[in-house]
Amino acid sequence: MHKLLFSILLLLSGSTFAKAQEYEWKAPVAPAPEKGYYRILLSPEVRGNLQADLSDVRLINEQQQEVPYLLRSEQPVQYKKLFKPYIILHYDRDKDCCSELLIENTDKRKIDNISLLIKNADVQKQVRLSGSDDRENWFVLKAQDVLHTLNSTESTARLRLLEFPLNDYRYLRLQLNDSSSAPLNILQAGYYDTQTETGQYTAIPVQQVTRTDSARYTYIRLQFAGPAYPEQLDMNITSPALYLREGYVIAGKATPTRKRKRRRRLSETEPVRVNFTLNANAPARIALPRRQVQELTIVIDNADNPPLQIADITPLQFNRYLVANLEANETYTLYFGDKDAAAPLYDLEFFSDSIPSDLPVLMTTNIHTVTERQQATGWNASKFLLWAAIGVVVAGLGYMTVRMLREMEREKGQ
């Protein structure tokens, strides 16, 4: 009996899990041309039907097995430091005397340092630096300095920074004293530049746009075909040439959605207001909080000015991807839209640094609902197992009862 009870508990727990893993939507993934890691882009249609933390998406293969994945997101702004080399016109070396490195600052940038990539050498060099615009008349920048070079244990060359007064000479001449040692092997001369990159994003389709201009305000309403997570609005303002307008955006509620016949769940959020300023000297761009909405209302205060002429407004979401190891030409499907699903725990997250960031991108095709029959399959199967388990328990109880009665009759007969 204990074994029977334990078995029925297992069956009941299995049925609970089957019911919990019911997804409202699915979207096939474009096949991978060859085996390897890929980024699967979460389109606006997929993203709009997910939880805010993306915890309810699963990647399923042809064998109906769950495939581990990593989540990766584009950032609004990224800063990268890049080494940019100068043109080395010549590097002359005079044995037992000196070396001369001539560098061209083609764009006449204002600079106060040079980074030299030097082959490993344990030595110190006396150096001096001068500048010129015509390579005939030279002017001192640094009469004397010491260039320390150290051995690198990680590579065969090392970058050394040489600082000097700010200048914009086209040509820089570095003279090194080689009287006490052989010349240095200088491979490159350049500088580090901080580059700003805007994260990649996808436009969210707008179903309907309506605009109303009152005596002072402009009201623009954007309606989406389904739930969406707009994170940025880009406006193309064509007139006037100069403007400075205050305004705000109201992010409206998401539409209540019916998930299943037996259970109705409302997915809605309170409206949120975001203030902004439109300035002719800056991009007409509005950052929005990440919230699931069905519509946006833009209100612009024109004061006593004529309304702005806006050619178009584009809602955007920053790209988010599932990174997974896929087999070539195999069918994979995204399942999503279960508000009760918890975020999965995969070993892959501990090895994210080992997976390249610049991976090929695969798109999802048209999303469609999982049919009621498909949704109910797991639950119906669980009900069948439940009734089967109850039948087994009843049969077991009947058997035990009959056995006990027979033993009682034997005892009476004795």
Side-chain angles (χ1 to χ4, degrees), residues 106 128 246 325 335 371 375 383:
T106 309
R128 60 181 178 180
E246 302 290 333
N325 191 10
Y335 282 82
T371 63
Q375 290 176 345
K383 287 196 295 184

Side-chain angles (χ1 to χ4, degrees), residues 258-294:
R258 184 172 182 176
K259 292 196 68 178
R260 299 174 185 90
K261 290 182 179 179
R262 297 182 182 86
R263 181 175 60 177
R264 183 177 178 85
R265 186 187 186 99
L266 297 181
S267 174
E268 59 183 22
T269 57
E270 292 300 322
V272 61
R273 172 169 166 161
V274 179
N275 296 322
F276 64 81
T277 300
L278 298 176
N279 189 335
N281 295 324
R285 182 168 296 157
I286 304 169
L288 300 174
R290 191 192 311 167
R291 293 170 65 95
Q292 187 186 53
V293 299
Q294 188 79 37

Side-chain angles (χ1 to χ4, degrees), residues 192-211:
Y192 277 96
D193 186 25
T194 301
Q195 184 176 14
T196 302
E197 292 184 355
T198 301
Q200 295 182 335
Y201 49 78
T202 301
I204 302 174
V206 177
Q207 185 179 48
Q208 185 178 11
V209 180
T210 57
R211 171 172 174 162

